[in-house]
Amino acid sequence: MIDLRSDTITRPTDAMRAAIAAAPVGDDQFGEDPSVNALQEHGAALLGKEAALWLPTGTMANQVALRLLTRPGDDVVVSRESHIVWHEAGAGGANAGVQFTEIGTGGVFSADEFLAACKPQGHMLYPPTTLVVIENTHNRAGGLVVPQPMVEAVCGAARAAGVATLLDGARLWNAAIAARTTPAAIAAPFDVVWAALSKGLGAPAGSLLAGPRDLIARAVRVRRMLGGAMRQVGLLAAAGSHALAHHYDRLSEDHAHARLIAARIAQCPGVRLDLATVQTNIVVFHLAPGAPDAATVAARARERGVALFAFGPRTLRVVTHLAVTRAQCVEAADILAEICLADS
């Protein structure tokens, strides 16, 4: 099976397994796991923040950040179709008691759009806007890299309005590679940032939440409240450290593979795809009238050895990662192009 459903399906390489086996560990509840501590220090430096905290998942990173930066009843401004709203099982409302205002198009929004959506604090009726979240890269927008001038403008407007800023950086590493900059440069305008280790980097679990030292100290308690306190978690931290050391630079290969697939299927009359949106390792494409629907395409592709994800009735997603080769991507693209054309 050529599995293109997500970059989370990767398995540890032999070298990563060796790093896990050799990892020195301790009880992280007491701050005594040397592998976790080393990863957190390295992660904070990579992200340009004072401190970082290892969390088991990216969803927990978002939820911890919401608890730190908002109060129940607050309003959080986000991009339309953002992960924190669409793919976290309603956790923001259940765990933090916040509501979300979705703005913009194609995974981005301007400072003017943010200010227009921002609700004043202290109003008798309105829920106060206390946080703005930018997702970079943006998953449902096809792995789009949010332009840094736009990021800086939104964060500057938020700071002037007394609104906190959060970078949902599940694929921040991909954004940095694509933009030919550093993770720290992308994270610089934000109060708090997190980045996943379990997607393109290929670790089996883990995300790093980074920000001011006092805020990250508070995050330790919130992590425990949400069930994220673990013991000898250095086994997983070692995988994350190995991934950063050995899998970061190769992310550009995944981007090239995604563009290869996109260029092939975009030639199919049954596919609607703007190649300009294919900037990292995600390809989101739509099916034209007359082509099969998304569920049918996914089912037929699986029968022929290709797994992909139906994002909607006529929308599909392909994600490249370290477990698929260029040759497999060429084969998958040809299969998908043929299937999408079948009923047109």
Side-chain angles (χ1 to χ4, degrees), residues 287-301:
L287 297 165
D293 63 20
T296 300
V297 170
R300 291 177 181 175

Side-chain angles (χ1 to χ4, degrees), residues 124-260:
M124 182 177 67
L125 301 176
Y126 296 159
T129 299
T130 57
L131 177 65
V132 58
V133 183
I134 292 177
E135 182 180 333
N136 196 8
T137 68
H138 196 287
N139 180 15
R140 294 186 67 90
L144 182 82
V145 179
V146 181
Q148 194 66 10
M150 184 174 289
V151 168
E152 292 171 355
V154 170
C155 289
R159 190 173 299 109
V163 174
T165 54
L166 169 65
L167 171 56
D168 176 340
R171 296 180 176 87
L172 169 58
W173 319 114
N174 295 86
I177 289 287
R180 298 182 180 181
T181 186
T182 65
I186 291 178
F190 294 90
D191 298 315
V192 177
V193 55
W194 70 267
L197 302 165
S198 61
K199 294 190 168 62
L201 293 182
S207 289
L208 290 168
L209 181 74
R213 194 173 304 279
D214 60 341
L215 200 68
I216 297 303
R218 288 171 50 205
V220 175
R221 179 170 183 266
V222 179
R223 179 181 67 175
R224 183 170 185 83
M225 292 173 70
L226 296 178
M230 301 176 70
R231 306 298 185 250
Q232 289 73 31
V233 75
L235 299 174
L236 291 173
S241 292
H242 179 87
L244 284 169
H246 299 282
H247 296 168
Y248 181 89
D249 290 336
R250 63 150 308 280
L251 291 174
S252 59
E253 297 176 23
D254 297 339
H255 300 177
H257 293 163
R259 288 191 292 271
L260 181 157

Side-chain angles (χ1 to χ4, degrees), residues 12-344:
T13 62
D14 290 343
M16 185 180 287
R17 289 179 184 273
I20 292 170
V25 298
D27 193 328
D28 186 51
Q29 176 178 247
F30 298 115
E32 296 174 354
D33 191 305
S35 296
V36 174
N37 292 341
L39 174 60
Q40 289 175 164
E41 290 177 11
H42 182 46
L46 283 175
L47 297 170
K49 302 300 181 186
E50 290 181 350
L53 180 68
W54 187 93
L55 295 161
T57 70
T59 293
M60 185 176 286
N62 269 336
Q63 298 310 307
V64 169
L66 287 175
R67 292 289 296 270
L68 291 172
L69 301 172
T70 68
R71 298 179 65 181
D74 285 358
D75 176 66
V76 179
V77 173
V78 299
S79 56
R80 209 169 300 281
E81 295 192 71
S82 60
H83 190 283
I84 200 170
V85 176
W86 282 62
H87 295 289
E88 298 186 10
N95 294 326
V98 297
Q99 71 172 36
F100 296 98
T101 298
E102 294 183 89
I103 63 173
T105 57
V108 300
F109 55 87
S110 68
D112 287 342
E113 288 174 307
F114 161 70
L115 290 172
C118 194
K119 301 170 184 64
Q121 301 184 28
H123 193 278
M124 182 177 67
L125 301 176
Y126 296 159
T129 299
T130 57
L131 177 65
V132 58
V133 183
I134 292 177
E135 182 180 333
N136 196 8
T137 68
H138 196 287
N139 180 15
R140 294 186 67 90
L144 182 82
V145 179
V146 181
Q148 194 66 10
M150 184 174 289
V151 168
E152 292 171 355
V154 170
C155 289
R159 190 173 299 109
V163 174
T165 54
L166 169 65
L167 171 56
D168 176 340
R171 296 180 176 87
L172 169 58
W173 319 114
N174 295 86
I177 289 287
R180 298 182 180 181
T181 186
T182 65
I186 291 178
F190 294 90
D191 298 315
V192 177
V193 55
W194 70 267
L197 302 165
S198 61
K199 294 190 168 62
L201 293 182
S207 289
L208 290 168
L209 181 74
R213 194 173 304 279
D214 60 341
L215 200 68
I216 297 303
R218 288 171 50 205
V220 175
R221 179 170 183 266
V222 179
R223 179 181 67 175
R224 183 170 185 83
M225 292 173 70
L226 296 178
M230 301 176 70
R231 306 298 185 250
Q232 289 73 31
V233 75
L235 299 174
L236 291 173
S241 292
H242 179 87
L244 284 169
H246 299 282
H247 296 168
Y248 181 89
D249 290 336
R250 63 150 308 280
L251 291 174
S252 59
E253 297 176 23
D254 297 339
H255 300 177
H257 293 163
R259 288 191 292 271
L260 181 157
I261 293 173
R264 174 68 181 92
I265 62 176
Q267 298 173 13
C268 176
V271 169
R272 296 291 178 265
L273 171 60
D274 179 2
L275 290 175
T277 66
V278 184
Q279 300 173 5
T280 54
N281 68 322
I282 299 176
V283 182
V284 172
F285 62 99
H286 309 279
L287 297 165
D293 63 20
T296 300
V297 170
R300 291 177 181 175
R302 179 171 281 275
E303 290 173 358
R304 297 184 59 179
V306 177
L308 71 163
F309 191 72
F311 246 23
R314 304 196 66 79
T315 303
L316 294 128
R317 186 187 73 170
V318 163
V319 186
T320 56
H321 48 79
L322 60 84
V324 291
T325 65
R326 184 183 188 281
Q328 288 176 317
C329 290
V330 170
E331 180 182 354
D334 287 341
I335 290 171
L336 290 174
E338 183 179 334
I339 292 170
C340 292
L341 188 62
D343 295 343
S344 60

